[in-house]
Structure formats: C-alpha cells, structure tokens
Amino acid sequence: MEVFAAFEWSFIWENRAQIWDGFKNTMKVSAIGIAGSLAIGLVLGALRAHRIPVFTQLGWIYVEVIRNTPILVQIFLLHWAILPEFGYRGDPFLTACAAIIVWGGAFNTENFRAGFEAVPARLREAGYALGFTPLKTFLNVTLPIGGRIALPSSINTYISVLKNTSLLFVIGYAELTGVAYNIQSITFRTFEMFAVLAVVYLIIVWTLSALIRLLEARLALPERL
C-alpha cells in the first residue's frame, strides 16, 4: 500500500478533460467499427454461405488477407498508402474508422457464414414449402436462426474491435491510449496514467460484454431447435 501511496493521483483529475475527449473518440470509432463490421459480416457471410459465384471467391480473398495480416500493418497501409492514392490526406478519423471496420468485417464474415451454414436444411425447406422465395427464406428463416448461432463468436469480435482502437494512436488519432501516452510523456506519471487507462478499458469491455450477454440470453434459441 505504501508503494501506491507514493504516487500522485491528483493529476488524473487535472487532466480529466483530455481523458474524457479521448474516451469519447474511442467510443465513437468503436461504435462505428462495430456497426460497420456487423453490416459487412451479414452481407459477405450470407454470400459465402450461399455460395454466390464471384462474391464467394472475393469474400474468401478479403477474409484471408485481413485475418492473416496484423491490424497495425493494415492501419499503416490504409493511412500512408491506400487512402493517399485516392487523394485523401486529412483527418486520421477516416483511416481509423476504415481500418476498424475492415478488420472487424473480415472476422464477422466468418462468424456469420458459420452461423448461416449451421441452420438445419429442413428449416429452409420448410420455408420453400410455404412458398417463400430464396430471399424471403433467408430473411425469415436463415437470418434469425443463423444470426443467433453466430452471436457468441461475434461478441468476441466486437470486443476485439473496441480493444484494437488502442492502436490508432500510431496515425495521430486522439483516442484514449494516445491521450494517455501524451499526458504521461509530459507529466512522467507513467504508472498512474496507464493504470487508469487499464481500468477504463476493463470497465468499458466488461460493460459491453454484460450488455451483449444479456442480448444473447434474450435471443437464445429454443432447445427444440
């Protein structure tokens, strides 16, 4: 306890405005990243599960490239190579959102593909027997059931999306980790700053996990299925 008492914690309160801004930036990119990765996962997961020509192959290439390269390399590549080729050299916020969405979308594609493929064929056949078109069968049978099957694995992806925002400081985006690093480089209070940073991330991730677990319990499939 004497070790902790030797540290000065008051500077955390003194820098609360900067920390709060970093927190808001982290949550903003995380929300966009989760929503974007969900959309990509649903669309590409459905295309891959139904073996749609061309899209299936393109989806496979996308998933393999993103899942087998470090996200830090992807961030650098987007910010310093790909986006500048299209004439964009501005706010790193666009790079931050794009990198997180692209990374999360690749993992979610596999999550939803596996979920959709796990839907029993007899349920889809029942939809066809009722006169549903393939699209209606997907929307009314495959999506509700397969989406619930994919939920546990997609939860891990959303949590990883949130944690991966901590890498965005390398391109100058003022998220929570970047703000913490800047504060400690000025105050030299490394332990205090990064201890607080770890606690904040724990609280965010625990809260997100708890909310999604509640959703998972509410959407749990009946035992008979």
Side-chain angles (χ1 to χ4, degrees):
M1 296 299 294
E2 293 180 359
V3 175
F4 286 93
F7 294 102
E8 295 182 11
W9 298 96
S10 60
F11 87 100
I12 298 294
W13 178 254
E14 295 170 0
N15 293 280
R16 64 188 183 279
Q18 289 177 272
I19 296 173
W20 175 245
D21 287 340
F23 172 81
K24 289 189 293 184
N25 287 338
T26 291
M27 297 309 296
K28 185 192 304 182
V29 172
S30 297
I32 294 173
I34 289 173
S37 64
L38 171 62
I40 291 176
L42 284 172
V43 174
L44 290 185
L47 292 174
R48 293 200 67 198
H50 289 81
R51 306 291 194 274
I52 306 299
V54 180
F55 292 103
T56 297
Q57 288 73 25
L58 291 176
W60 178 83
I61 294 172
Y62 161 64
V63 168
E64 289 300 308
V65 169
I66 299 302
R67 281 163 53 100
N68 292 293
T69 55
I71 185 174
L72 193 58
V73 173
Q74 297 166 24
I75 293 171
F76 282 133
L77 190 63
L78 275 170
H79 191 66
W80 302 112
I82 296 177
L83 292 179
E85 286 295 322
F86 293 92
Y88 182 83
R89 294 181 177 84
D91 190 346
F93 176 71
L94 177 61
T95 306
C97 292
I100 294 298
I101 289 173
V102 168
W103 183 90
F107 282 82
N108 249 359
T109 295
E110 288 301 280
N111 295 337
F112 283 105
R113 179 194 61 79
F116 295 150
E117 290 181 347
V119 177
R122 68 180 186 276
L123 299 181
R124 294 192 296 271
E125 291 169 358
Y128 297 139
L130 291 172
F132 287 173
T133 63
L135 178 59
K136 284 189 176 181
T137 300
F138 173 77
L139 294 176
N140 291 281
V141 179
T142 306
L143 178 59
I145 299 174
R148 294 178 184 185
I149 295 173
L151 188 56
S153 56
S154 62
I155 289 173
N156 294 328
T157 297
Y158 301 141
I159 292 174
S160 295
V161 163
L162 191 153
K163 291 190 293 185
N164 281 338
T165 61
S166 63
L167 298 173
L168 297 174
F169 78 95
V170 298
I171 57 171
Y173 183 66
E175 47 71 56
L176 198 55
T177 301
V179 169
Y181 180 80
N182 291 335
I183 293 174
Q184 73 83 29
S185 66
I186 296 172
T187 62
F188 300 104
R189 294 293 176 179
T190 304
F191 177 82
E192 296 97 320
M193 192 64 253
F194 285 110
V196 169
L197 180 65
V199 170
V200 172
Y201 274 117
L202 279 173
I203 293 173
I204 295 173
V205 172
W206 279 340
T207 302
L208 178 62
S209 298
L211 292 175
I212 299 180
R213 295 297 176 190
L214 288 174
L215 178 63
E216 182 183 7
R218 186 175 181 83
L219 297 178
L221 287 170
E223 289 293 332
R224 64 181 181 275
L225 290 178

